[in-house]
Amino acid sequence: MPANLQQEMRRGEAPMPETADVVIIGGGIIGASVAWSLARRQAGRIVVLEKEKHTGRGSTAYSAGGVREQFSSEINILMSHYSLDVYARFSREMDQDIDYKQAGYMFLASTKATAQALIQSVALQNRLGVDSCIITAAQAREHVRDLFVDDIQAAAYNARDGYVDPASICQGYVQRARDMGVEFRTSTTVTGINVQGDRVTGVITSDGQVGTDTVVNACGPYLREIGEMAGVDVPARPYRRMLFITEEFSLSPNLVPLTIDMTTGFYFRDEGRGLMIGLANAAEPSSFNTTLDWDYLPTILEHALHRIPTVEDAEIGKGWAGLYDITPDHHALLGAFPERPNFYLAGGFSGHGVMHAPAAACVITEIILDGVASTLDVTSLAPTRVREGRLLHEQNVI
Ligand SMILES: Cc1cc2nc3c(=O)[nH]c(=O)nc-3n(C[C@H](O)[C@H](O)[C@H](O)COP(=O)(O)OP(=O)(O)OC[C@H]3O[C@@H](n4cnc5c(N)ncnc54)[C@H](O)[C@@H]3O)c2cc1C
């Protein structure tokens, strides 16, 4: 949005404060949840800066809303386990319905190697308190009536997984954070960050400057750009992801689990009266392109037709494209670089930002206020791990 238009829209608003205890850059689900979490710990004056006219208009608005505990890495499982507990209580505690549908997630393995990997992941999930289980191809078909299972060696299922409405979660956090005095300054673009020595001292915006001793970079796909302003090299890149929605089409009288074909990465779930289908284009380079590419649809349909032959009868009604913020090991970046100790990253969620937001907000708050996270040990997610070559591994990525 042009700077003069932003200024026009802010007429009548209170001026940018001279200082704040914490400045959060980005008003998506991560910035909003971090703001709420810090306010609950009475972290002082908290200002959230968001370039769009409204909060929640970045990647959060384009998410499939899937939430799952079925990961292969311990820290991802624990982040989800914590977050799904929060989402189960969210409407009651935050006074905001989030449409949490526990439709389950189902991973399908059609090779021996993927079946073995699924078995190992489920064993780890069970050890960490997740009720996932290995099911047969026939049982998979009980969840999805028209599923082609002749090539399925094993499947994994977890009933507590499902999907939520990310926009409602984001707004729930924004509202409750506002109730506690957090200032959300929309139509405000961050254009620079002041640094003295190794510390950030303030944030420059289209609406003036705000001095601070604590900055949280929660800019989703723009994590790296904001990092550059603070003089750090953030190892995350934006990648386009597309989803298509069929017209009315039913695979089951019940909710269809979010089902993932592990071999191809093709996935689908219920969406309204139709089906949501998606598949990452692994060959596409990093970019900020969010144009929906209808030419890619035939590739997705090819995989869809293999797995659900009756999709042949379905019309594709619409679709959308958004950005993942991806790190080299598909794990989040939580914490600060030692050379910029008061500039915290909360990003790089690699397609898991909705399902990990509550846990991320909790641990970033603890890192900022207590120096170390105590609810979950997230030292493995330190941003330094990438340049130090301590990459994690996650196989359940879509
Ligand atoms: C197609 C698709 C499907 C997905 N499906 C899932 C899913 O099923 N489950 C799941 O958990 N996740 C999913 N994700 C990922 C999820 O949407 C993201 O991980 C999550 O929304 C990240 O939230 P965020 O707050 O970090 O980023 P964003 O929502 O992008 O928020 C960042 C904010 O920063 C603002 N900003 C950027 N630059 C500036 C600046 N210079 N100044 C001020 N503000 C700025 C942006 O406007 C934006 O509002 C999906 C993503 C896509 C695209």
Side-chain angles (χ1 to χ4, degrees), residues 179-324:
D179 294 346
M180 292 186 283
V182 173
E183 296 159 65
F184 285 85
R185 301 191 66 89
T186 52
S187 304
T188 303
T189 302
V190 171
T191 55
I193 293 180
N194 294 323
V195 178
Q196 269 175 22
D198 64 353
R199 300 186 74 79
V200 297
T201 55
V203 177
I204 307 164
T205 81
S206 52
D207 189 30
Q209 299 198 23
V210 51
T212 185
D213 191 46
T214 303
V215 172
V216 180
N217 177 1
C219 267
Y222 296 87
L223 206 70
R224 185 159 185 249
E225 278 58 34
I226 299 294
E228 271 172 14
M229 294 178 194
V232 293
D233 185 11
V234 177
R237 302 280 184 280
Y239 286 87
R240 178 170 64 168
R241 289 291 183 267
M242 292 179 279
L243 295 169
F244 292 89
I245 313 293
T246 72
E247 300 289 5
E248 187 163 346
F249 186 83
S250 181
L251 286 171
S252 153
N254 304 313
L255 283 173
V256 170
L258 201 152
T259 304
I260 300 158
D261 191 330
M262 294 283 286
T263 314
T264 61
F266 166 69
Y267 66 97
F268 61 91
R269 72 156 167 87
D270 277 329
E271 171 65 16
R273 291 172 171 276
L275 213 56
M276 175 188 284
I277 57 176
L279 172 73
N281 180 357
E284 186 171 322
S286 169
S287 80
F288 286 102
N289 182 4
T290 53
T291 313
L292 183 66
D293 179 6
W294 285 93
D295 290 343
Y296 187 59
L297 180 60
T299 307
I300 301 183
L301 283 178
E302 188 187 319
H303 294 288
L305 283 167
H306 170 71
R307 200 45 75 200
I308 333 159
T310 49
V311 150
E312 197 176 5
D313 305 328
E315 295 285 321
I316 302 297
K318 61 175 181 178
W320 64 80
L323 298 171
Y324 271 24

Side-chain angles (χ1 to χ4, degrees), residues 25-31 49-52 54-67 105 188-191 218-222 226 229 241-243 258 267 320-325 346-347 349-356:
I25 309 174
I29 196 167
I30 299 299
L49 304 172
E50 168 54 53
K51 69 176 177 176
E52 298 298 334
H54 299 286
T55 52
R57 290 287 167 89
S59 296
T60 301
Y62 300 95
S63 169
V67 293
Y105 256 67
T188 303
T189 302
V190 171
T191 55
C219 267
Y222 296 87
I226 299 294
M229 294 178 194
R241 289 291 183 267
M242 292 179 279
L243 295 169
L258 201 152
Y267 66 97
W320 64 80
L323 298 171
Y324 271 24
D325 48 327
F349 287 94
S350 308
H352 313 133
V354 171
M355 60 185 98
H356 287 168

Side-chain angles (χ1 to χ4, degrees), residues 68-81 107 117-118 120-128 130 262 327 329-332 349 352 356 376-378 380-381 385 390-397:
R68 60 173 155 110
E69 297 171 306
Q70 291 190 77
F71 280 96
S72 69
S73 95
E74 181 164 333
I75 189 61
N76 276 342
I77 296 168
L78 292 172
M79 296 272 291
S80 286
H81 195 55
F107 284 83
L118 271 190
Q120 277 174 8
S121 299
V122 166
L124 176 62
Q125 291 154 17
N126 293 166
R127 276 204 299 282
L128 296 171
V130 174
M262 294 283 286
T327 61
D329 60 4
H330 301 275
H331 283 74
F349 287 94
H352 313 133
H356 287 168
L376 291 175
D377 180 356
V378 289
S380 62
L381 299 181
R385 74 173 185 277
R390 290 180 287 108
L391 295 186
L392 299 162
H393 179 68
E394 175 57 62
Q395 79 191 6
N396 294 357
V397 171

Side-chain angles (χ1 to χ4, degrees), residues 41 75 79 334-335 359-381:
R41 290 275 312 266
I75 189 61
M79 296 272 291
L334 294 175
C362 170
V363 296
I364 273 291
T365 297
E366 291 170 350
I367 291 171
I368 292 171
L369 299 181
D370 310 328
V372 65
S374 51
T375 299
L376 291 175
D377 180 356
V378 289
T379 45
S380 62
L381 299 181

